[in-house]
Short mmCIF file of all heavy atoms in Angstrom, two decimals:
data_model
loop_
_atom_site.label_atom_id
_atom_site.label_comp_id
_atom_site.label_asym_id
_atom_site.label_seq_id
_atom_site.Cartn_x
_atom_site.Cartn_y
_atom_site.Cartn_z
N LEU A 170 -14.16 27.98 32.19
CA LEU A 170 -14.92 28.17 30.95
C LEU A 170 -16.19 27.34 30.92
O LEU A 170 -16.95 27.41 29.95
CB LEU A 170 -14.03 27.72 29.76
CG LEU A 170 -12.83 28.59 29.43
CD1 LEU A 170 -12.11 28.02 28.22
CD2 LEU A 170 -13.26 30.03 29.17
N ALA A 171 -16.45 26.55 31.92
CA ALA A 171 -17.51 25.56 31.87
C ALA A 171 -18.92 26.17 31.69
O ALA A 171 -19.78 25.52 31.14
CB ALA A 171 -17.51 24.69 33.11
N ASP A 172 -19.07 27.39 32.13
CA ASP A 172 -20.40 27.98 32.07
C ASP A 172 -20.63 28.79 30.78
O ASP A 172 -21.73 29.29 30.55
CB ASP A 172 -20.66 28.90 33.29
CG ASP A 172 -20.71 28.05 34.55
OD1 ASP A 172 -21.15 26.88 34.48
OD2 ASP A 172 -20.25 28.55 35.60
N ARG A 173 -19.59 28.96 29.98
CA ARG A 173 -19.74 29.74 28.78
C ARG A 173 -20.64 29.00 27.78
O ARG A 173 -20.64 27.80 27.69
CB ARG A 173 -18.34 29.91 28.14
CG ARG A 173 -17.40 30.75 28.98
CD ARG A 173 -17.60 32.21 28.67
NE ARG A 173 -17.18 32.46 27.29
CZ ARG A 173 -15.94 32.60 26.91
NH1 ARG A 173 -14.95 32.56 27.75
NH2 ARG A 173 -15.68 32.84 25.62
N PRO A 174 -21.45 29.75 27.04
CA PRO A 174 -22.27 29.08 26.02
C PRO A 174 -21.42 28.48 24.89
O PRO A 174 -21.71 27.41 24.40
CB PRO A 174 -23.20 30.20 25.47
CG PRO A 174 -22.45 31.48 25.81
CD PRO A 174 -21.65 31.20 27.04
N HIS A 175 -20.37 29.16 24.53
CA HIS A 175 -19.41 28.63 23.56
C HIS A 175 -18.08 29.33 23.69
O HIS A 175 -18.04 30.43 24.22
CB HIS A 175 -19.98 28.75 22.13
CG HIS A 175 -20.25 30.14 21.74
ND1 HIS A 175 -21.50 30.75 21.82
CD2 HIS A 175 -19.41 31.12 21.25
CE1 HIS A 175 -21.43 31.98 21.39
NE2 HIS A 175 -20.16 32.25 21.06
N VAL A 176 -17.03 28.71 23.16
CA VAL A 176 -15.71 29.31 23.19
C VAL A 176 -15.12 29.24 21.78
O VAL A 176 -15.71 28.63 20.85
CB VAL A 176 -14.75 28.56 24.15
CG1 VAL A 176 -15.28 28.67 25.56
CG2 VAL A 176 -14.61 27.10 23.73
N SER A 177 -13.99 29.87 21.58
CA SER A 177 -13.36 29.87 20.26
C SER A 177 -12.08 29.00 20.31
O SER A 177 -11.60 28.65 21.36
CB SER A 177 -12.94 31.27 19.86
OG SER A 177 -11.90 31.71 20.69
N MET A 178 -11.62 28.59 19.15
CA MET A 178 -10.39 27.77 19.09
C MET A 178 -9.22 28.52 19.71
O MET A 178 -8.36 27.91 20.37
CB MET A 178 -10.05 27.46 17.62
CG MET A 178 -10.87 26.32 17.03
SD MET A 178 -10.64 24.76 17.89
CE MET A 178 -9.00 24.31 17.44
N ALA A 179 -9.20 29.85 19.51
CA ALA A 179 -8.11 30.62 20.10
C ALA A 179 -8.08 30.46 21.61
O ALA A 179 -7.04 30.26 22.22
CB ALA A 179 -8.23 32.09 19.69
N GLU A 180 -9.29 30.46 22.21
CA GLU A 180 -9.36 30.28 23.66
C GLU A 180 -8.92 28.90 24.06
O GLU A 180 -8.28 28.72 25.09
CB GLU A 180 -10.77 30.55 24.12
CG GLU A 180 -11.19 32.03 24.06
CD GLU A 180 -12.63 32.23 24.43
OE1 GLU A 180 -13.50 31.78 23.65
OE2 GLU A 180 -12.92 32.85 25.46
N VAL A 181 -9.26 27.90 23.24
CA VAL A 181 -8.86 26.54 23.56
C VAL A 181 -7.33 26.42 23.52
O VAL A 181 -6.69 25.87 24.41
CB VAL A 181 -9.44 25.54 22.55
CG1 VAL A 181 -8.89 24.13 22.78
CG2 VAL A 181 -10.98 25.58 22.67
N ASP A 182 -6.71 26.99 22.46
CA ASP A 182 -5.29 26.89 22.33
C ASP A 182 -4.58 27.61 23.47
O ASP A 182 -3.49 27.24 23.91
CB ASP A 182 -4.81 27.53 21.00
CG ASP A 182 -5.23 26.66 19.82
OD1 ASP A 182 -5.45 25.45 20.02
OD2 ASP A 182 -5.34 27.19 18.70
N ALA A 183 -5.25 28.65 23.98
CA ALA A 183 -4.59 29.43 25.06
C ALA A 183 -4.76 28.83 26.42
O ALA A 183 -4.16 29.30 27.39
CB ALA A 183 -5.18 30.87 25.03
#
Side-chain angles (χ1 to χ4, degrees):
Chain A
L170 291 181
D172 294 328
R173 295 272 296 279
H175 60 263
V176 297
S177 69
M178 280 300 289
E180 288 175 293
V181 174
D182 290 336

